[in-house]
Amino acid sequence: MFDNLRDDAASNQFYEEEQSASLPPATGSEPFFAPNGSKRILGMTGVQRFVIAFMFFMAVCLIGGMALLVTGKIGF
């Protein structure tokens, strides 16, 4: 099963074919984060990214507070 593993890894033929088929040709004038020229990152507007970041921040605060309560570092 693993006899030709090094040969397969060295050839990279399948990976190169798969990568070239899935990516459109780059023109060099398009920004990295938005292929259509807009200022969107991951397809979200600035407000949407802020809401996601705020929700993540609140989740981290809540989990940290619960961990402090469970370990007895703070109490009521």
Side-chain angles (χ1 to χ4, degrees):
M1 179 175 172
F2 296 111
D3 296 335
N4 297 330
L5 187 61
R6 288 186 180 161
D7 296 335
D8 292 341
S11 69
N12 288 337
Q13 181 180 2
F14 178 73
Y15 177 72
E16 290 173 358
E17 290 175 359
E18 180 180 319
Q19 186 179 17
S20 65
S22 64
L23 297 176
T27 60
S29 63
E30 301 167 346
F32 174 71
F33 54 85
N36 60 357
S38 67
K39 297 292 183 186
R40 292 183 175 215
I41 299 174
L42 298 175
M44 295 185 287
T45 64
V47 174
Q48 290 171 330
R49 291 191 308 265
F50 173 76
V51 170
I52 296 291
F54 184 74
M55 288 172 36
F56 182 70
F57 173 73
M58 294 307 293
V60 169
C61 289
L62 182 66
I63 292 170
M66 289 183 350
L68 287 172
L69 285 173
V70 168
T71 58
K73 301 294 181 184
I74 59 172
F76 292 105

